[in-house]
């Protein structure tokens, strides 16, 4: 029995070392149900930290119970894990972020909307991945590494974002290999590899969602079940 146990443990160590299998850790989990933000998060508004009633906690979360983060008197308030509370050093070579979002109201005011919803920065502000709602059925994506443009003018079909229903947004970054992935409602919409040396894991801030990048739009936005992990919670996919 002891020999069998030793052999099993040795095989497990071999697989872990040689295939990169390791358990991801959830670093931040915010359901908003208690209407008190995780102390590491800030609510942002153009140029400042937002305060109620600029934002609110809506009375129903995505499953019809609890609460969720919501626009208040300002439509584009957003959530940020900022530099002053960021983990340093970041504990892994990976970042995974997931949240649910919906637009209870939306009126299109621009042929090219720029309502950003994921915009983390690392290596100071010189590296990032950037996602914005371009129109109700499309997402615009770009990326930068150490000040160099890695991607621009990339359009991803993500239908019915503003239909008033909850949609799931997931993001994955592997810094050492320059990997960027995005899923919308469980469907992979982006899978890019820019190669080694374009990024490091020196994360400055994570904005999820993010700001309205043009003139103030006419919309409201709610967010629920924000998760931030140091790796993929369910392995590669």
């Amino acid at each position: 029995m002891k020999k069998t146990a030793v052999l099993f443990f040795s095989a497990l160590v071999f697989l872990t070392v040689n295939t990169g299998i390791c358990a991801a850790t959830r670093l931040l989990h915010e359901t908003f149900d208690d209407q008190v933000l995780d102390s590491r998060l800030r609510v942002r508004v153009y140029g400042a930290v937002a305060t109620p009633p600029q934002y609110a906690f809506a009375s129903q979360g995505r499953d019809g119970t609890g609460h969720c983060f919501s626009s208040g008197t300002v439509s584009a308030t957003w959530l940020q894990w900022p530099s002053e509370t960021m983990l340093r050093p970041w504990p892994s070579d990976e970042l995974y972020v997931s949240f649910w979002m919906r637009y209870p109201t939306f009126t299109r005011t621009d042929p090219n909307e720029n309502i950003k919803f994921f915009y983390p920065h690392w290596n100071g502000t010189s590296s990032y991945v950037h996602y914005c709602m371009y129109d109700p059925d499309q997402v615009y994506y770009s990326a930068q590494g150490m000040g160099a443009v890695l991607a621009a003018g990339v359009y991803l079909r993500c239908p019915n974002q503003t239909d008033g229903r909850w949609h799931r947004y997931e993001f994955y970054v592997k810094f050492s290999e320059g990997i960027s992935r995005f899923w919308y409602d469980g469907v992979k919409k982006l899978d890019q590899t820019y190669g080694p040396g374009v990024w490091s894991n020196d994360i400055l801030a994570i904005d999820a969602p993010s700001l309205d990048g043009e003139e103030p739009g006419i919309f409201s936005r709610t967010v629920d079940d924000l998760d931030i992990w140091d790796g993929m919670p369910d392995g590669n996919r």
Side-chain angles (χ1 to χ4, degrees):
M1 180 65 71
K2 289 183 179 179
K3 183 177 181 180
T4 301
V6 169
L7 287 172
F8 174 78
F9 179 75
S10 298
L12 182 62
V13 170
F14 177 83
L15 285 171
T16 300
V17 171
N18 289 278
T19 65
I21 298 172
C22 58
T25 300
R26 184 162 62 183
L27 304 174
L28 189 149
H29 176 59
E30 180 58 89
T31 67
F32 310 102
D33 286 341
D34 61 4
Q35 304 179 72
V36 177
L37 280 177
D38 185 295
S39 62
R40 294 166 291 179
L41 293 175
R42 303 288 182 269
V43 181
R44 303 289 301 177
V45 68
Y46 297 105
V49 174
T51 57
Q54 292 175 314
Y55 70 93
F57 295 101
S59 59
Q60 280 193 353
R62 68 178 182 88
D63 60 357
T65 63
H67 293 80
C68 59
F69 176 82
S70 175
S71 302
T73 57
V74 178
S75 60
T77 50
W78 74 90
L79 294 162
Q80 183 182 78
W81 189 354
S83 58
E84 60 264 27
T85 62
M86 180 57 62
L87 281 175
R88 300 198 184 278
W90 188 254
S92 80
D93 183 38
E94 301 170 280
L95 167 68
Y96 169 86
V97 178
S98 170
F99 57 84
W100 292 77
M101 184 168 65
R102 75 182 183 103
Y103 296 82
T105 60
F106 175 78
T107 299
R108 191 167 180 176
T109 60
D110 193 309
N112 305 318
E113 299 284 358
N114 189 11
I115 302 173
K116 304 178 192 299
F117 58 85
F118 189 59
Y119 201 10
H121 286 78
W122 49 92
N123 311 136
T125 59
S126 68
S127 299
Y128 59 75
V129 292
H130 161 269
Y131 296 81
C132 75
M133 185 180 70
Y134 178 78
D135 66 39
D137 296 318
Q138 290 190 91
V139 164
Y140 175 89
Y141 167 80
S142 63
Q144 186 168 291
M146 305 294 187
V149 174
L150 301 175
V154 178
Y155 297 89
L156 311 171
R157 179 163 173 76
C158 299
N160 305 315
Q161 293 175 88
T162 61
D163 62 3
R165 299 178 181 179
W166 288 101
H167 296 280
R168 192 180 188 191
Y169 297 78
E170 301 172 83
F171 312 87
Y172 172 79
V173 174
K174 186 173 180 65
F175 298 99
S176 63
E177 298 179 27
I179 294 174
S180 175
R181 295 174 182 153
F182 165 56
W183 296 260
Y184 174 71
D185 284 343
V187 178
K188 186 183 287 184
K189 297 293 182 175
L190 180 85
D191 190 349
Q192 292 291 313
T193 300
Y194 304 115
V198 299
W199 293 330
S200 80
N201 68 342
D202 183 16
I203 299 177
L204 176 69
I206 298 171
D207 288 16
S210 190
L211 55 88
D212 182 359
E214 297 183 330
E215 71 283 349
I218 302 174
F219 67 93
S220 60
R221 182 170 63 179
T222 60
V223 176
D224 206 1
D225 294 332
L226 171 64
D227 277 336
I228 300 177
W229 296 66
D230 67 356
M232 285 295 295
D234 50 0
N236 292 327
R237 62 188 176 99

